[in-house]
Amino acid sequence: MLRTISTGENDPRIPAFMERVLGVQFFPPFTCMGLEKDGQIIAGMLFNVYTGPDIHVTIAGSGWTRRLLREMGQYLFDILQVERFTAVTEKQNVIDIVERVGGKREGILRNHFGLNRNGIVIGVLKDEYRYR
């Protein structure tokens, strides 16, 4: 069974999952959301570098649901009231998801996830987000 883990739960398994999958370490302050299946984290979103109009979202995993994407949009656009979010990933399946919700590729962060592991930057504007 799939279960969405909200930002309010502060579940430490989400950043641990993301650190393991991406091979990087995250330092607070951040918030995160995730998706749990049969007691295991299978997807996560970590929100940091909040500047008011923008927030960075690092995404990893699989099994994304519309419910999770709606909750992410509600958190970012209704609660935090950002105008956009910036997603950074190296995984094609995540790029596909972010583009499907309305994102546009904006650039590449060379060696962002380590040597020869570039981060693809995708921007999503509030008015373009398809799950609001």
Side-chain angles (χ1 to χ4, degrees):
M1 173 173 267
L2 290 175
R3 181 176 85 87
T4 300
I5 301 170
S6 71
T7 56
E9 292 182 58
N10 246 352
D11 192 322
R13 297 177 303 154
I14 298 168
F17 164 82
M18 296 185 68
E19 288 174 353
R20 186 174 61 254
V21 168
L22 297 174
V24 297
Q25 191 172 3
F26 295 100
F27 298 95
F30 59 76
T31 56
C32 51
M33 296 178 83
L35 192 61
E36 179 185 65
K37 181 178 181 180
D38 300 324
Q40 300 293 317
I41 302 297
I42 62 168
M45 296 177 250
L46 190 134
F47 310 107
N48 60 4
V49 192
Y50 174 64
T51 62
D54 184 35
I55 191 165
H56 286 208
V57 181
T58 302
I59 300 170
S62 61
W64 303 93
T65 65
R66 287 186 174 141
R67 178 179 175 195
L68 179 64
L69 296 172
R70 276 193 302 275
E71 287 184 20
M72 181 180 89
Q74 181 182 22
Y75 175 68
L76 295 176
F77 299 119
D78 298 336
I79 295 172
L80 294 182
Q81 297 186 349
V82 297
E83 289 299 318
R84 61 169 281 132
F85 71 85
T86 302
V88 180
T89 185
E90 65 179 335
K91 305 291 184 183
Q92 186 60 50
N93 67 320
V94 176
I95 293 168
D96 294 342
I97 290 166
V98 179
E99 288 180 337
R100 191 171 47 217
V101 303
K104 306 278 189 259
R105 290 185 195 210
E106 296 181 339
I108 296 173
L109 298 173
R110 296 177 298 150
N111 292 348
H112 183 72
F113 293 108
L115 185 61
N116 297 318
R117 294 178 60 204
N118 297 335
I120 307 300
V121 179
I122 307 166
V124 182
L125 302 180
K126 176 170 59 176
D127 295 341
E128 296 172 344
Y129 193 71
R130 295 190 179 124
Y131 288 94
R132 291 196 67 220

